[in-house]
Amino acid sequence: MMKSASEMWDQRYANETFAYGTEPNAFFKEELLKLKAGQILLPAEGEGRNAVFAAKQLWQVVAFDQSKQGRQKALELAHENQVEIEYVTAGFEDFITEKEHFDCIALIYAHVPENKRKEYHASITQYLKPGGVLILEGFSKEQLGKASGGPGKVEMLFSKENVLNDFSELETIKLQELDVDLSEGAFHQGKASVIRYIGKKKA
């Protein structure tokens, strides 16, 4: 019997070590430090490395993930760093909050099935305030076959075209496809092909 996605992630996060480390994603860190602290939403946040970093920069953090194990480790990491985060166990289809509430939303390696991606991205974008910023980093379609991480299905990987299409109502500030050296825990190690995107919601 096939495992559900939440079971798969629970299993990955069950170890004491953090699957993707405890340091924030480098691109997320770089871009977040350019912004004035406010309200931030972190979907598919896993074990909380980016949420905790944002909280340490005085952002008010809301995060969600379908993994209960991920949530537990994120809250432990927040406690260790003496910060507070709000963390909900939910998938994209379950998470509902106030529209136009967040100053920033960050999708960091938030890969979802192709038939749901556009719908999920649209649902998330409605929670961004006018003038708010969306930060995205994920594996590009060129990542397929590389050992440095990713879902291993080309349809779950990003292209510039599908990012632009999904976030067409945002003003594109940055869109790059590039090769990087990843060093994020045991599961993101080595040369990787990624998409990086910054979009701003039009006022």
Side-chain angles (χ1 to χ4, degrees):
M1 192 169 146
M2 284 185 67
K3 286 180 185 163
S4 69
S6 60
E7 286 173 328
M8 187 274 284
W9 288 113
D10 278 343
Q11 186 174 31
R12 178 163 293 186
Y13 297 148
N15 294 328
E16 265 188 51
T17 54
F18 281 67
Y20 302 100
T22 56
E23 294 300 313
N25 170 265
F27 180 62
F28 170 73
K29 177 180 178 179
E30 177 188 342
E31 294 298 328
L32 195 73
L33 291 175
K34 297 175 184 177
L35 303 175
K36 181 183 175 186
Q39 308 264 359
I40 187 169
L41 176 64
L42 290 154
E45 172 53 8
E47 297 166 308
R49 62 195 177 108
N50 298 308
V52 168
F53 175 78
K56 288 168 80 172
Q57 308 309 310
L58 305 181
W59 286 79
Q60 290 184 287
V61 177
V62 177
F64 70 83
D65 196 283
Q66 59 191 320
S67 169
K68 292 178 182 176
Q69 288 279 359
R71 178 181 183 272
Q72 183 180 330
K73 286 174 79 175
L75 294 176
E76 288 169 3
L77 187 64
H79 181 71
E80 286 170 22
N81 283 270
Q82 299 180 315
V83 294
E84 288 190 10
I85 61 174
E86 182 182 335
Y87 197 120
V88 181
T89 305
F92 279 89
E93 66 279 7
D94 310 311
F95 182 81
I96 298 170
T97 191
E98 185 184 342
K99 291 183 181 180
E100 298 189 347
H101 181 69
F102 292 97
D103 302 285
C104 182
I105 297 174
L107 293 164
I108 306 300
Y109 296 98
H111 293 272
V112 298
E114 183 180 33
N115 64 338
K116 295 288 188 181
R117 193 199 67 243
K118 190 173 177 65
E119 173 193 334
Y120 289 170
H121 285 169
S123 72
I124 286 302
T125 305
Q126 70 180 329
Y127 302 136
L128 199 60
K129 288 179 183 176
V133 172
L134 185 136
I135 302 170
L136 179 149
E137 180 171 297
F139 292 113
S140 82
K141 293 189 182 294
E142 296 300 313
Q143 177 68 9
L144 195 68
K146 291 187 169 75
S148 50
K153 295 179 180 177
V154 70
E155 63 270 18
M156 290 181 72
L157 301 172
F158 293 110
S159 68
K160 283 184 173 182
E161 291 74 22
N162 64 35
V163 170
L164 282 176
N165 187 41
D166 289 2
F167 299 111
S168 58
E169 65 181 273
L170 304 183
E171 177 191 352
T172 299
I173 306 298
K174 180 183 290 186
L175 179 61
Q176 300 173 308
E177 183 172 354
L178 69 164
D179 292 331
V180 298
D181 287 306
L182 280 184
S183 183
E184 300 182 327
F187 287 90
H188 281 178
Q189 285 291 331
K191 293 275 186 193
S193 298
V194 302
I195 297 281
R196 289 175 169 176
Y197 172 78
I198 303 291
K200 189 172 187 179
K201 194 163 193 178
K202 295 164 188 172

